Amino acid sequence: MNQSSNQGLAPGTRETYSRLHRWLQRGLFVCLTALVLEGTFTFPFLLVWYGWPTLSLQEMCSELQKHRFSDDTRECIYPYPLFGPAEGAGQTTAQDEWGVQPRPKYERIGFRDLVRFRDERLAREAAAKQTPDPGLAIGVRE
Amino acid sequence: MNDRHDKGIDAQDRRRKRALNAFQVLIYGYLFTMFLIQLHMYSVSDW
Amino acid sequence: MERAAVASGYDVHQEQSREAQRQADRWMLPGAIMMTTAILGPIGFPLFLKGMSIQRKAALQGLSVRPMICTLLGYLVIMDSGLNSIGWSLDLVAHHSLINRTLVTAWGNMFDAGYYWHYNELWIGGTGAPGEKSWEIGLVPTVFCMRLAAAIGFLQMKRWGHQWLIVTCWFGVIYWVGYVANMTMFADLRYTGVVFPVIGWWIYDIFYITPFLAIPYLHTVNREIFSD
């Protein structure tokens, strides 16, 4: 890292500050490497964590919205109309504990949990279809 | 840069070094304090 | 006669140095720009390293190229302001694009619910966190644009590049102090339910402290290496 090994100090660096500059250069190198790694691996990592390739990007988007607004009927509209109103504007389903600071009540999304959420919802819907008479279903449960 | 042996420059360099050290202590200290405050909040809440 | 010969020898050396520097930057600049897009990073990184090795070789040959610390600093500022601007511009103007609604909100769900909680619900779209939107509006068109320009001037070893980098790095101190304070004040909102609260955010974001590393250098470097 020290390009000036054969000529003493780098241009612009005086003796008094050579130690400071050496440490700053190390810090800069660490930060640059870290930003490069983050820039490279963040998106692939997020994709895998949130269910790709089992879920397509648009399905991922829909699952995140269902989770965020606690509403199983929400779908991610894509492409979204240009100059349309904000997608979530006026929603009334999101769950929060309101106070001096709001705290959302949605649960933490663990590794590939979005896939699990979707499978469970599909199973629920399938089960609901198999018992077409709601009165009967309630009777059975009781 | 022969002027580094000049007395006036030396004094100026010393002051500059002190100021920059103070700056670094302050800024990293602030960041660390904020981190500790957040850690404390984390330990007492159910995030 | 002799004076002229000496002058031309010096000129040749200067010309060769400039050429070597130009050649190194031809690899490093596109590499850095690709790395700021967060998608083309794996292509950009090797280009950047190739440029760095060209510059190192030139320095070892005795050509007077830019000091390595200036190269690192200039390109780190480009990366830092580029990555910040891209993320924040997406949230400002492209909040309903698919990539933003999946990957940026997923990032928010993982590290900072400011980018997840009630997302795309304000009339202006994007983050629903109080404070966050204001920082975006306040910083992207002002300090981050200035920082990019200053970094390019700095890499060309121009005096104005050095001066404007000092100005924008002090800006950097202001936004770091304010941003982290905002984050702490709204900690309940921003950390509840996220995958990696607090520690995850700090590990992810601490490498953006470029201004704190830059300021001590910019104030102690011999200004004569920058030209008008």
Side-chain angles (χ1 to χ4, degrees):
Chain A
M1 261 168 68
N2 190 2
Q3 57 142 18
S4 54
S5 50
N6 63 340
Q7 60 189 57
L9 298 169
T13 298
R14 283 185 289 136
E15 184 82 54
T16 342
Y17 300 121
S18 61
R19 214 166 69 94
L20 173 70
H21 288 188
R22 203 162 55 239
W23 277 103
L24 292 174
Q25 181 166 329
R26 283 175 195 161
L28 289 169
F29 193 80
V30 169
C31 285
L32 188 64
T33 313
L35 286 193
V36 167
L37 293 178
E38 280 183 4
T40 307
F41 293 110
T42 302
F43 280 3
F45 178 71
L46 289 172
L47 278 173
V48 172
W49 186 281
Y50 289 92
W52 187 85
T54 315
L55 301 179
S56 70
L57 272 186
Q58 196 175 347
E59 284 171 325
M60 225 172 101
C61 174
S62 292
E63 292 303 320
L64 284 170
Q65 276 193 33
K66 293 175 203 291
H67 174 261
R68 175 161 70 239
F69 296 130
S70 305
D71 178 1
D72 278 354
T73 63
R74 282 206 86 96
E75 292 294 338
C76 181
I77 302 162
Y78 172 76
Y80 199 79
L82 213 58
F83 307 117
E87 195 169 30
Q91 63 78 26
T92 52
T93 49
Q95 300 289 308
D96 289 282
E97 190 184 296
W98 292 95
V100 63
Q101 262 190 67
R103 299 168 64 120
K105 288 183 181 163
Y106 46 66
E107 64 175 297
R108 177 169 284 115
I109 303 179
F111 184 64
R112 293 187 84 76
D113 269 354
L114 285 185
V115 179
R116 182 168 62 84
F117 293 166
R118 185 199 58 169
D119 291 347
E120 285 173 2
R121 189 183 63 254
L122 291 180
R124 263 200 314 276
E125 283 168 8
K129 264 200 195 111
Q130 276 177 351
T131 51
D133 185 347
L136 187 71
I138 289 165
V140 167
R141 224 176 282 145
E142 281 170 356
Chain B
M1 291 314 291
N2 297 323
D3 56 2
R4 95 172 79 101
H5 299 297
D6 188 272
K7 264 219 158 102
I9 295 289
D10 266 358
Q12 198 189 355
D13 272 345
R14 257 201 311 280
R15 278 200 303 276
R16 194 196 306 245
K17 222 177 202 172
R18 231 192 351 250
L20 286 173
N21 281 341
F23 163 72
Q24 294 185 79
V25 168
L26 268 177
I27 196 72
Y28 291 119
Y30 169 78
L31 283 188
F32 191 64
T33 312
M34 283 294 159
F35 177 61
L36 288 184
I37 291 174
Q38 291 187 8
L39 267 189
H40 172 72
M41 292 165 113
Y42 185 21
S43 69
V44 296
S45 61
D46 56 344
W47 289 341
Chain C
M1 269 315 272
E2 224 180 290
R3 267 180 71 92
V6 169
S8 82
Y10 174 76
D11 283 349
V12 166
H13 179 259
Q14 284 298 90
E15 189 43 53
Q16 281 176 340
S17 301
R18 254 200 304 275
E19 187 45 46
Q21 188 61 66
R22 251 202 302 271
Q23 216 184 354
D25 281 329
R26 258 206 295 273
W27 289 92
M28 283 191 278
L29 191 61
I33 288 171
M34 279 186 196
M35 290 191 287
T36 63
T37 62
I39 296 166
L40 302 174
I43 311 171
F45 192 43
L47 298 186
F48 186 79
L49 287 182
K50 162 108 180 157
M52 260 175 73
S53 87
I54 291 176
Q55 185 180 318
R56 211 184 129 84
K57 241 177 256 158
L60 290 176
Q61 280 168 11
L63 295 175
S64 52
V65 287
R66 192 170 53 219
M68 189 56 83
I69 186 168
C70 292
T71 301
L72 287 173
L73 180 53
Y75 280 109
L76 187 56
V77 171
I78 289 182
M79 291 276 300
D80 148 10
S81 46
L83 283 170
N84 264 312
S85 306
I86 283 193
W88 276 352
S89 310
L90 274 176
D91 190 81
L92 262 180
V93 296
H95 33 72
H96 280 77
S97 63
L98 189 60
I99 194 113
N100 191 67
R101 283 182 296 167
T102 49
L103 292 173
V104 173
T105 57
W107 184 87
N109 184 268
M110 187 165 276
F111 298 107
D112 171 7
Y115 289 92
Y116 189 71
W117 180 82
H118 289 259
Y119 197 83
N120 270 342
E121 202 173 317
L122 288 175
W123 65 270
I124 198 172
T127 172
E132 188 69 16
K133 201 77 194 181
S134 323
W135 279 115
E136 288 172 4
I137 297 167
L139 294 181
V140 172
T142 55
V143 66
F144 283 115
C145 289
M146 269 156 57
R147 250 164 105 66
L148 265 178
I152 290 168
F154 180 80
L155 284 171
Q156 293 167 347
M157 304 300 280
K158 293 277 196 277
R159 190 154 294 185
W160 65 265
H162 174 246
Q163 283 163 347
W164 276 94
L165 206 55
I166 291 183
V167 173
T168 59
C169 281
W170 281 104
F171 254 111
V173 174
I174 293 170
Y175 72 66
W176 253 101
V177 171
Y179 191 90
V180 173
N182 177 50
M183 195 80 194
T184 312
M185 296 302 117
F186 281 103
D188 272 336
L189 187 165
R190 302 188 74 155
Y191 287 132
T192 305
V194 304
V195 180
F196 301 119
V198 186
I199 298 167
W201 187 89
W202 280 90
I203 292 179
Y204 197 91
D205 284 68
I206 197 65
F207 300 109
Y208 287 87
I209 53 164
T210 331
F212 308 158
L213 294 168
I215 285 172
Y217 179 74
L218 295 172
H219 282 293
T220 54
V221 66
N222 179 5
R223 268 159 241 190
E224 279 158 36
I225 65 172
F226 301 98
S227 63
D228 283 317

